[in-house]
Amino acid sequence: MTSAAPNDWTSGYVSEIGYTHGYYREMAPLALDLALLSSLQAPRPAGRLRYLELGFGQGLSLNIHAAALDGEFWGLDFLPAHAAAARDLARASGATLQVLDDSFAEFAARPDVPEFDMIVMHGTWSWISPENRRVIVDILRRKLAVGGVFFMSYNCTPGWSPSIPMRHLLTLHAKLAGSDAAGIVGKMNAAMEFAQTVADAGARYFKVNPAVAEYLKQLPKHDRSYLAHEYFNADWHPMPFSDVAEALSEAKLTFAASANMLDHVDALNLTADQQKLLAGITHPVLRQSVRDYCTNQQFRKDIWVRGPRTISVLEQLQTMRAQRFVLLSHVDDVPLKAAGTLGEAGLEAQLRTPVLGALAADHYAPKTVDQINALAPGLSLQQIVQMLNLLAGMGHVHLAQSDDRVRAAKRRCDALNAHLVNRALFGGDVNFLASPVTGAGVMVNRFQQLFLRSLRKGKTSPAEWANDAWGVVSLQGQRLMREGKAIADVAENIAEMTNQAQKFADKRLPVLRALQVA
């Protein structure tokens, strides 16, 4: 947005407003393990994990993983407000977590930093200077263990290419016409209004890029914390996969897999001609690059490994047999279709129904692939694995930890979840809780968290939970929504809240109990 002064510790990064309290499931260690296995790559070695998150934002993902897994966790974010928020969560859970507000260069120079088995970074690569990207590569080269996994998500081309001029217009207005007195939010609002006036004036750029024009109309609806960090930093660098591959090669990293499991299903994303084209390209960097052109990729979620090891289909299936899986959703809430670049495709009923039935048996308890096979004897092992991978990519299934590790993590998860549920009394900025079963976050919205709070207080009926929750939101002047409109009548609000509480009791609560969140 503006050029950073030489002594500006922010280096042009937005510091006036914090990032969103998001949770990013692709950064969960077990999710990364499964993505590697799905791509015929050996997962990281089993054992106690050393894990580093670079640019952790509000620290929700970092804290959930530190609470729900056995290991040593480090997090780095140079904004003191972010570090303070992350430390508050760490104190609540009692997890082994080292939270730092160092710059990347300061962190790289520390003598006490160990080697890590896993380093993760969401989005940050796109929002920092070339100098900082070089420092990150140096950290990876020196601090990622042999066999270690690096996950990074980033804005990429060609998908972002049409929007780059729009972002330039927004930041140019904020820099040249924005009022410092208005603060970052005021500058953003003024920039978006100005860009819309340019589009409304018939600017040809927006005419020949109608998708960009439509996106500009939707931009003001986004959370301002997200917009500030996504669009209004001094640095913003969507880049092709090949540039990232070249940079990370200096740290001896090789691309291993997409962390988006649905990317592994070619039929969802590529036409038959595109699949044939890619099959004829032997160079992995060129193949990934051409694939991005085929799908018009805008945001990549890549897994890189320092010393990847390819495994055979037989090894994959043998490894998968002992893996435990658990449903994240009620069986009735799992969609009949999966969505990809080409649109939606139906899940084969002869595979979907028995696998979901097996996972839902015994009150949704986690099950190994062998146990699922025993409950669905008409399916082959390979069919079960394919369906589990697809359901995991849709966000409805997750790997589960061993019972010993679940027991070890439960106290920390309970403490963190109690803290987050109490926080729901004051707002709905956090919509995830920690599961010791998955070692990851589970979506639980604000109302559901308030229902859980009532349940923990000894209230047993949905009507009681609804009355408690309505008491909280009504005191804050809030109303429930129906068909996009606020419900005005108090009795109707209570009835709607009771309806939601009953659905929670019937569908969501059994799953949360299996995940040991409730």
Side-chain angles (χ1 to χ4, degrees):
M1 186 169 64
T2 58
S3 298
N7 62 346
D8 182 1
W9 63 272
T10 69
S11 298
Y13 194 87
V14 170
S15 60
E16 292 178 51
I17 185 171
Y19 196 54
T20 57
H21 292 79
Y23 174 78
Y24 306 101
R25 63 188 177 98
E26 293 87 2
M27 295 197 298
L30 294 186
L32 293 171
D33 289 346
L34 183 60
L36 287 168
L37 269 174
S38 172
S39 299
L40 297 178
Q41 297 288 331
R44 61 185 170 87
R48 196 168 188 270
L49 177 67
R50 272 186 171 161
Y51 180 102
L52 167 66
E53 183 175 347
L54 298 171
F56 55 69
Q58 298 289 350
L60 182 63
S61 298
L62 175 65
N63 270 279
I64 285 176
H65 298 150
L69 292 155
D70 177 35
E72 179 183 346
F73 289 79
W74 290 58
L76 177 68
D77 195 296
F78 82 122
L79 292 181
H82 286 173
R87 286 177 180 173
D88 283 345
L89 295 180
R91 279 192 290 269
S93 70
T96 304
L97 176 56
Q98 178 79 275
V99 174
L100 303 171
D101 68 344
D102 294 351
S103 68
F104 293 125
E106 289 169 338
F107 180 78
R110 290 179 69 108
D112 60 338
V113 176
E115 279 194 341
F116 296 95
D117 308 297
M118 189 170 283
I119 299 178
V120 300
M121 185 172 66
H122 166 70
T124 305
W125 183 268
S126 302
W127 306 332
I128 57 176
S129 66
E131 293 78 13
N132 273 318
R133 287 198 296 274
R134 283 192 287 271
V135 174
I136 286 174
V137 172
D138 181 59
I139 292 170
L140 293 168
R141 182 180 60 80
R142 295 187 297 109
K143 296 302 179 182
L144 185 64
V146 172
V149 171
F150 173 53
F151 164 82
M152 64 178 289
S153 56
Y154 57 99
N155 294 332
C156 65
T157 59
W160 264 110
S161 298
S163 298
I164 290 174
M166 180 196 73
R167 186 264 177 184
H168 174 72
L169 180 62
L170 292 171
T171 55
L172 185 67
H173 184 276
K175 175 183 177 181
L176 301 180
S179 168
D180 289 340
I184 182 64
V185 173
K187 288 183 178 182
M188 288 191 297
N189 290 338
M192 288 185 286
E193 290 174 8
F194 177 76
Q196 189 60 58
T197 63
V198 175
D200 293 342
R204 185 163 177 77
Y205 161 69
F206 289 103
K207 284 187 174 181
V208 300
N209 292 283
V212 177
E214 181 58 33
Y215 186 63
L216 176 61
K217 291 179 182 179
Q218 303 303 318
L219 211 56
K221 299 178 182 179
H222 287 276
D223 183 281
R224 294 303 184 265
S225 295
Y226 163 76
L227 291 177
H229 293 265
E230 177 62 68
Y231 290 102
F232 287 86
N233 293 307
D235 288 287
W236 190 77
H237 305 284
M239 62 181 62
F241 169 81
S242 57
D243 284 2
V244 176
E246 182 178 2
L248 295 184
S249 68
E250 296 180 19
K252 300 182 180 181
L253 293 180
T254 301
F255 175 75
S258 171
N260 179 1
M261 296 278 288
L262 292 185
D263 277 351
H264 303 183
V265 185
D266 284 346
L268 286 174
N269 301 289
L270 300 165
T271 66
D273 286 343
Q274 291 167 351
Q275 292 178 52
K276 182 179 179 181
L277 170 67
L278 291 174
I281 301 175
T282 57
H283 197 289
V285 173
L286 181 58
R287 185 167 58 250
Q288 283 294 312
S289 299
V290 172
R291 192 183 193 282
D292 284 350
Y293 278 84
C294 290
T295 61
N296 196 33
Q297 191 69 265
Q298 187 176 49
F299 192 69
R300 289 188 63 103
K301 301 174 182 179
D302 290 348
I303 306 174
W304 305 79
V305 178
R306 187 169 190 175
R309 293 171 294 129
T310 303
I311 59 176
S312 67
V313 173
L314 184 60
E315 288 175 293
Q316 178 202 52
L317 294 177
Q318 190 63 29
T319 302
M320 289 287 284
R321 290 181 63 182
Q323 300 296 316
R324 300 207 310 169
F325 286 83
V326 65
L327 270 173
L328 303 180
S329 308
H330 189 278
V331 67
D332 294 339
D333 292 334
V334 177
L336 299 175
K337 296 180 179 180
T341 304
L342 297 180
E344 292 185 329
L347 307 184
E348 296 181 55
Q350 64 269 31
L351 302 181
R352 176 186 182 277
T353 301
V355 169
L356 288 177
L359 287 167
D362 191 20
H363 306 288
Y364 290 82
K367 298 169 188 70
T368 66
V369 171
D370 273 349
Q371 289 172 325
I372 296 170
N373 200 11
L375 292 168
L379 302 182
S380 69
L381 193 63
Q382 192 162 17
Q383 287 175 317
I384 291 171
V385 168
Q386 288 173 347
M387 182 54 60
L388 289 171
N389 286 339
L390 187 57
L391 292 169
M394 295 168 66
H396 296 286
V397 164
H398 202 282
L399 278 180
Q401 301 194 87
S402 68
D403 287 334
D404 287 345
R405 293 191 173 183
V406 171
R407 284 190 289 269
K410 190 171 189 322
R411 177 188 56 79
R412 297 189 299 270
C413 289
D414 286 349
L416 177 60
N417 290 342
H419 174 82
L420 294 174
V421 165
N422 284 332
R423 182 176 176 149
L425 291 170
F426 310 105
D429 55 348
V430 176
N431 289 297
F432 289 85
L433 299 178
S435 168
V437 174
T438 62
V442 178
M443 183 174 284
V444 187
N445 66 35
R446 185 193 183 193
F447 289 170
Q448 294 171 346
Q449 291 181 43
L450 293 175
F451 299 155
L452 285 178
R453 185 173 182 274
S454 295
L455 182 62
R456 291 171 182 176
K457 288 166 55 182
K459 306 289 182 67
T460 57
S461 73
E464 291 177 304
W465 308 341
N467 282 329
D468 278 356
W470 172 245
V472 171
V473 299
S474 62
L475 283 176
Q476 297 168 358
Q478 299 172 351
R479 295 292 184 267
L480 277 71
M481 305 289 288
R482 182 188 296 146
E483 297 179 354
K485 297 180 180 179
I487 302 173
D489 183 74
V490 171
E492 288 187 31
N493 272 277
I494 295 174
E496 177 61 26
M497 187 73 83
T498 304
N499 180 51
Q500 292 193 28
Q502 187 62 58
K503 289 180 179 178
F504 175 75
D506 294 341
K507 287 189 171 184
R508 195 68 183 135
L509 187 56
V511 176
L512 294 181
R513 283 178 168 153
L515 296 170
Q516 298 197 29
V517 173

